[in-house]
Amino acid sequence: MVTRAGPTDGGAGGSRGGPASGARRDSPHLTAERIHAAALRLVDVDGIDALSMRKLAATMGVNPMSLYHHVPNKAALLRGICGLAVAELDIPVRADADWRDQLRQIAHSYRSLAHRHGNLITYLIANPGFIQRDGALWTALCETLARAGIPAEEVVRIGNVLLTFVSGFLLAEVNGTLGDLLRSGPASGEGEQPDDGAADAAADAAEFDRGFEAGLELVIAGLEAHGASAATPAKTSRSGTAPRRRGGRTARPNHLGR
Amino acid sequence: MVTRAGPTDGGAGGSRGGPASGARRDSPHLTAERIHAAALRLVDVDGIDALSMRKLAATMGVNPMSLYHHVPNKAALLRGICGLAVAELDIPVRADADWRDQLRQIAHSYRSLAHRHGNLITYLIANPGFIQRDGALWTALCETLARAGIPAEEVVRIGNVLLTFVSGFLLAEVNGTLGDLLRSGPASGEGEQPDDGAADAAADAAEFDRGFEAGLELVIAGLEAHGASAATPAKTSRSGTAPRRRGGRTARPNHLGR
DNA sequence: ACCTGAACACCGTTCAAGT
DNA sequence: ACCTGAACACCGTTCAAGT
């Protein structure tokens, strides 16, 4: 039984080999990049569990063992497609915006990635190493918090809280937890036709949006209540040099730090 | 190597068959309950990936196929051990406490479960169906929010936000994401001996605690800022009967709902 | 250099056969 | 009734052998 569907037919690939591009004629010449892209496509369509070296190879019309010449193992493959996805993160760098708006934008960028790769984000969030400390998202988040007036020694802590909060929401939204709990209310259990299908899905999506906004505003309000500056400061205000270590407690009424 | 601890030591089983009935003497007689318990133990010790029907059977000193007489398949097994874990959730029912304290207690109960079953919670949170709408945690959470003055039609939404936020933090705490980001700060990269081992772990744990408290106080402050009652109301106040459906908007200045 | 068939050690699950 | 061996259709990965 031979799995290769066709010689060069390719699968879903947009620019895939041969059709018009004249050059590079027949063989796509297996590449780590191309393998990662195909794997990501497979995950997006069929879910993370459908990703196997053998199935991926079949998708690409290639012998399963050939993959191992470009990708050391499945773990590396997973890392590769994660990298591909996070590279899509589009974090705004507008340094002049209000910190609230900046937080909202960062959160929405993250959420849009989650929606674009719903099947992957579950894996991404559930495994460490997705958010790198020098990545655009984490950097922008920390900068924004600093500009909001969060004391330097608390920026990482609060950044972690915000990031994990949003991750938790997105995970629940994508994996169905949110939908489950939503269809409950304090009082329901009535008749409620079991299948409304598409209409229900749209209503759910709208409610997810509202929930996301509500959570966002909740944490922003919390930051404000705990001493984040009400207006965007022209500078970091306060002392010229950033307060280092936990030397003296700040006079600020912020007790988020404990 | 035989792992069976004792002949009839039993586990959590309360009313199981034949206690007085004389029989059952030596062999523990495979039971769904007992299988779930053994599986949970295996997951706790070796991680979720180490759980296989065959390995579990080996652990129990039993033929792999015997398991299928008591557990239909692996998915059901997973459901079983999840049920076992959530049954450990110890949600306080003190209805007279301040709603803030109640939220804190619910959150800490959840967190303690996450710590007790660190290897399972990753799976639990990443998969739907863990929190049932009629479970103790969700019920208590919604009740508490209602008592805090959250309008009835927003309780589910805000409850979802809080629950998923906490889940996200716990997931990141348990899977290492938090630790990764923690060891970064806006400025680090100095010498920093690579291996401090246990000391580092303890410092991390303390910082995780602080982060959890910070997140908790953040959302509580956010709820207060958005109109949750400052003091615990004596009653649910407002209309005597629970407001049904999305009838009329409340006059309350709370705009978390959008 | 790149690819590949066969093989190994695992999976979950089915089923006819044992006691 | 309960258990079990053999078998099937999958895995990831290695490796000697092909071109």
Side-chain angles (χ1 to χ4, degrees), chain B residues 28-178:
Chain B
H29 273 105
L30 234 28
T31 291
E33 236 174 55
R34 230 179 301 244
I35 293 173
H36 292 154
L40 179 53
R41 230 150 38 218
L42 202 159
V43 170
D44 282 341
V45 174
D46 294 331
I48 194 93
D49 289 331
L51 176 63
S52 78
M53 300 299 278
R54 297 169 121 112
K55 208 135 42 180
L56 173 59
T59 283
M60 302 183 77
V62 140
N63 184 290
M65 300 315 133
S66 302
L67 300 180
Y68 283 92
H69 284 270
H70 306 92
V71 167
N73 51 40
K74 193 179 179 181
L77 175 66
L78 251 346
R79 267 195 307 273
I81 63 183
C82 289
L84 232 57
V86 306
E88 285 181 24
L89 256 179
D90 179 33
I91 301 294
V93 282
R94 313 194 65 257
D96 56 331
D98 181 83
W99 63 265
R100 299 166 199 76
D101 284 334
Q102 230 164 355
L103 282 186
R104 292 186 188 104
Q105 281 185 34
I106 293 172
H108 280 115
S109 294
Y110 187 11
R111 186 166 183 238
S112 113
L113 176 68
H115 286 178
R116 220 154 44 232
H117 299 291
N119 288 339
L120 181 61
I121 206 76
T122 302
Y123 176 83
L124 274 174
I125 294 177
N127 289 276
F130 154 38
I131 304 285
Q132 318 87 313
R133 38 217 148 346
D134 51 356
L137 194 150
W138 182 246
T139 303
L141 179 55
C142 288
E143 271 171 14
T144 301
L145 288 177
R147 291 202 323 118
I150 301 294
E153 74 272 19
E154 290 176 11
V155 162
V156 169
R157 171 151 62 236
I158 303 302
N160 261 324
V161 167
L162 297 195
L163 178 67
T164 59
F165 278 9
V166 172
S167 294
F169 185 94
L170 295 179
L171 182 56
E173 179 182 0
V174 160
N175 79 8
T177 300
L178 221 53

Side-chain angles (χ1 to χ4, degrees), chain A residues 172-173 175-182, chain B residues 125 127-129 131 160 163-164:
Chain A
E173 178 183 0
N175 79 8
T177 300
L178 220 53
D180 285 357
L181 257 23
L182 192 134
Chain B
I125 294 177
N127 289 276
I131 304 285
N160 261 324
L163 178 67
T164 59

Side-chain angles (χ1 to χ4, degrees), chain B residues 179-191:
Chain B
D180 285 356
L181 258 23
L182 193 134
R183 256 176 299 288
S184 68
S188 66
E190 301 295 330

Side-chain angles (χ1 to χ4, degrees), chain A residues 106-152:
Chain A
I106 294 172
H108 280 115
S109 294
Y110 186 12
R111 185 165 183 240
S112 112
L113 177 69
H115 287 178
R116 222 155 42 234
H117 300 292
N119 288 338
L120 181 61
I121 206 74
T122 303
Y123 175 83
L124 275 175
I125 294 177
N127 287 276
F130 154 36
I131 304 285
Q132 318 87 315
R133 38 216 148 346
D134 51 356
L137 193 149
W138 182 244
T139 305
L141 179 56
C142 287
E143 272 170 13
T144 302
L145 289 176
R147 290 200 326 115
I150 301 293

Side-chain angles (χ1 to χ4, degrees), chain A residues 12-52:
Chain A
S15 63
R16 280 291 274 80
S21 62
R24 86 198 332 164
R25 313 189 316 216
D26 48 342
S27 70
H29 271 107
L30 234 29
T31 293
E33 234 175 56
R34 229 178 304 243
I35 293 173
H36 291 155
L40 179 53
R41 230 148 40 216
L42 202 159
V43 169
D44 282 342
V45 174
D46 295 331
I48 193 94
D49 289 331
L51 176 63
S52 77

Side-chain angles (χ1 to χ4, degrees), chain B residues 191-196 200:
Chain B
E192 195 69 38
Q193 233 83 339
D195 47 350
D196 292 30
D200 262 12

